[in-house]
């Protein structure tokens, strides 16, 4: 029970803050899918427990990422048919699932960046910012002279940078 003084004699009751409004956005999974729909990098971060087995189930994240690829292809074809600005590579919300919202981004080389987020009320500006950082980390990784293009990224430094990025965004 919080009272606030609005003017000299009137006090109003302010309800306690809604705890749910302070929920942080959590990135559940990050994926990089190659030009030929081959997985380059796919990692679950916020793994949910499988109720039946009581074990972590990252396979569900992989399934959601791969099922969203059809939507990515549809959106890319729509953009090509409408001749949308080539700089607009953010695909937006691909599909909401029961637990996650799936967002997509396509690079100029047709590599797809997919992000699963377990918060349903996110701002599009936040998501675009997350993708810019994600793309920047991906660009740094593939600029390694020893990286073979369109092959899985095995760099421990890239994995560490992404993990730091995910933890930082989960704490904000």
């Amino acid at each position: 029970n919080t009272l606030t003084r609005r003017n000299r004699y009137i006090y109003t009751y302010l309800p306690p803050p809604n705890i749910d409004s302070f929920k942080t956005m959590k990135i559940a999974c990050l994926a990089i899918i190659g030009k030929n729909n081959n997985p380059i990098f796919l990692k679950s971060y916020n793994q949910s427990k499988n109720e039946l087995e009581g074990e972590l189930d990252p396979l569900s994240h992989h399934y959601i990422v791969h099922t969203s690829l059809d939507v990515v292809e549809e959106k890319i074809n729509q953009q090509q048919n409408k001749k949308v600005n080539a700089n607009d590579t953010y695909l937006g919300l691909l599909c909401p699932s029961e637990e996650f919202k799936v967002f997509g981004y396509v690079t100029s080389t047709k590599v797809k960046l997919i992000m699963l987020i377990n918060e349903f009320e996110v701002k599009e500006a936040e998501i675009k910012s997350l993708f810019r950082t994600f793309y920047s980390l991906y660009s740094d990784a593939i600029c390694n002279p020893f990286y073979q293009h369109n092959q899985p990224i095995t760099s421990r430094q890239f994995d560490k940078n992404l993990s730091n990025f995910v933890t930082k965004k989960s704490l904000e």
Side-chain angles (χ1 to χ4, degrees), residues 123-135:
K123 296 177 182 163
E124 198 158 325
E126 284 182 65
I127 300 298
K128 285 182 179 181
S129 170
L130 291 175
F131 271 116
R132 278 192 294 272
T133 307
F134 184 22
Y135 180 64

Side-chain angles (χ1 to χ4, degrees), residues 6 10-11 20 34-36 38-39 45-47 55 83-84 94-95 110 114 137 140 146 152 154 156-157:
R6 201 175 250 182
I10 301 174
Y11 289 89
D20 292 335
K35 184 167 131 177
N36 301 323
N38 57 315
Y45 292 98
N46 185 17
Q47 299 173 343
E55 296 178 7
K83 298 190 177 164
V84 177
L94 300 177
C95 56
K110 304 297 182 213
I114 310 286
L137 293 172
D140 290 345
F146 299 108
T154 57
R156 283 180 270 166
Q157 184 63 40

Side-chain angles (χ1 to χ4, degrees), residues 75-88:
K75 288 198 174 204
I76 290 172
N77 290 335
Q78 285 176 356
Q79 285 182 349
Q80 288 174 348
N81 291 341
K82 292 180 182 178
K83 298 190 177 164
V84 177
N85 184 5
N87 293 332
D88 189 21

